[in-house]
Amino acid sequence: MGLVQQYPALNRPPAPICSVCIANYNGAALLDECIASVLAQHLDGDIEVIVHDDASTDGSISMLRERYPQVELLASHENVGFCVGNNRMASHARGEYILLLNNDAALYPGALETLVGAARASARPGILTLPQYDWESGNLVDRGCLLDPFCNPIPNLDPKWPQVAYVIGACMFLPRTVWNDLGGFPEWFESIAEDMYLCGLARLRGFPVTALATSGYRHRQGTTFGGNRAEEGLRTSIRRRRLSERNKTRTMMILTPGLAMWPLLFAHLAALAIEGLVLSILHRDMALWREIYLPALTVPFREWTVLRARRSEVQAERTISLTGWFSVVRWQLRKVAMLAHYGIPKVQ
């Protein structure tokens, strides 16, 4: 692991059923409720908890060592981002199953029992999640997400629609063997949309992506990265939007099956260019164009060789039909719907 210092857990379980992996960066104020919700879970077997600290400066490491000696701590010497942190924990994990859990989330009682039970009852291994509830209001946020044609997430609220396009990395559960088969998160994404990519890759290979109808978790949406909530209007950050638009473009190019990718990509780029110009003009800030939209628009050209090679590799292993791929796509424009409901987004 090179630039990681390991602090072994006290009484480390020899053969855990589930490894709960918590990525942390400056989350000392959040970790208590997160870890407590995991330690309160009951399984017919052991649970191990692993935290990857991403070079925090808020005393997270000392707090974890003092309060939670039963937690396995991987302390990074440098900030490496969400993808690398989760990949490190998964490599370190020994459980039959892995649960990726955000430090700003907390499991409901019985959550792990529900996930493990569903996984063992399933005819085919795959990726699972629980209903997500807003931390403050307690309102249902989603049961996994569907997608519009341009890889914009659409929250699924229907308990009768368990098969989804992807589940967010704040609460992602899967067998460790499936994680290893998929290769984990793409570290070149840095952060944002890595969950969309991994779930899309799983679906292409025939692994179901399922949102369960019972139990759940609470989540302080957007706490760890900014944005991601619509409170009195849409608010986001330049960095979040830059990573999101770039990585969604990459995801579309690599994962969309067949010739359908080309018209969707051209329409996506045209819509993105219009959005970027209009938003920059309305905010009177061309930094939005330069720092968010231009990098996303040039991705297909700057990264063409790499993306084409990756696409060929991924599509060669596809086992589902074109119809199966688009079964979780809704032919609506998510951004237009959000614009009509909330107005022009504020970008900081």
Side-chain angles (χ1 to χ4, degrees), residues 252-253 255-266 311 315 318 322 326:
M252 177 184 295
M253 291 185 66
L255 300 184
T256 306
L259 296 176
M261 186 273 288
W262 293 105
L264 288 176
L265 177 63
F266 293 144
R311 175 178 172 79
Q315 295 299 327
R318 174 165 65 95
L322 194 65
F326 284 107

Side-chain angles (χ1 to χ4, degrees), residues 76-330:
S76 181
H77 298 168
E78 59 181 6
N79 188 273
V80 294
F82 190 76
C83 290
V84 173
N86 278 286
N87 286 350
R88 285 175 174 174
M89 287 187 288
S91 296
H92 194 74
R94 295 170 300 119
E96 179 183 355
Y97 300 100
I98 293 173
L99 173 65
L100 306 185
L101 186 67
N102 269 23
N103 64 354
D104 58 358
L107 298 174
Y108 281 3
L112 279 184
E113 186 178 24
T114 299
L115 288 164
V116 171
R120 290 185 169 169
S122 177
R124 180 156 175 72
I127 298 175
L128 301 174
T129 195
L130 299 167
Q132 176 186 190
Y133 294 90
D134 181 73
W135 188 281
E136 296 175 357
S137 68
N139 294 332
L140 177 67
V141 176
D142 65 52
R143 303 177 188 273
C145 290
L146 308 174
L147 292 174
D148 79 358
F150 304 135
C151 289
N152 295 303
I154 302 173
N156 173 46
L157 302 177
D158 188 353
K160 298 179 181 178
W161 193 274
Q163 299 306 309
V164 294
Y166 82 102
V167 308
I168 67 170
C171 183
M172 177 185 288
F173 179 91
L174 69 167
R176 186 158 54 92
T177 53
V178 173
W179 174 275
N180 292 336
D181 185 49
L182 296 173
F185 284 150
E187 295 185 357
W188 47 295
F189 271 42
E190 299 176 59
S191 296
I192 305 294
E194 68 288 321
D195 41 16
M196 181 188 298
Y197 178 88
L198 187 74
C199 290
L201 182 61
R203 293 185 60 246
L204 284 178
R205 294 188 184 177
F207 295 113
V209 179
T210 308
L212 303 180
T214 58
S215 192
Y217 69 102
R218 295 183 299 154
H219 187 204
R220 296 180 176 96
Q221 299 176 81
T223 299
T224 56
F225 212 91
N228 204 41
R229 295 192 67 176
E231 294 178 324
E232 299 178 356
L234 297 173
R235 301 174 186 271
T236 187
S237 66
I238 286 179
R239 183 172 180 238
R240 184 184 183 92
R241 294 309 312 151
R242 178 174 64 248
L243 293 173
S244 175
E245 299 300 350
R246 183 195 68 182
N247 290 342
K248 285 188 297 183
T249 302
R250 288 169 166 173
T251 298
M252 177 184 295
M253 291 185 66
I254 295 171
L255 300 184
T256 306
L259 296 176
M261 186 273 288
W262 293 105
L264 288 176
L265 177 63
F266 293 144
H268 166 69
L269 294 177
L272 206 58
I274 294 171
E275 176 188 330
L277 287 171
V278 169
L279 198 60
S280 299
I281 291 170
L282 289 176
H283 283 290
R284 298 180 181 179
D285 185 1
M286 292 308 293
L288 302 181
W289 173 259
R290 293 192 305 271
E291 297 183 33
I292 298 174
Y293 295 94
L294 189 59
L297 290 167
T298 57
V299 158
F301 309 99
R302 290 185 290 107
E303 301 181 4
W304 170 247
T305 302
V306 173
L307 293 175
R308 181 179 62 178
R310 181 59 179 152
R311 175 178 172 79
S312 296
E313 177 186 338
V314 165
Q315 295 299 327
E317 298 179 331
R318 174 165 65 95
T319 63
I320 65 170
S321 66
L322 194 65
T323 302
W325 173 259
F326 284 107
S327 65
V328 290
V329 172
R330 294 295 171 266

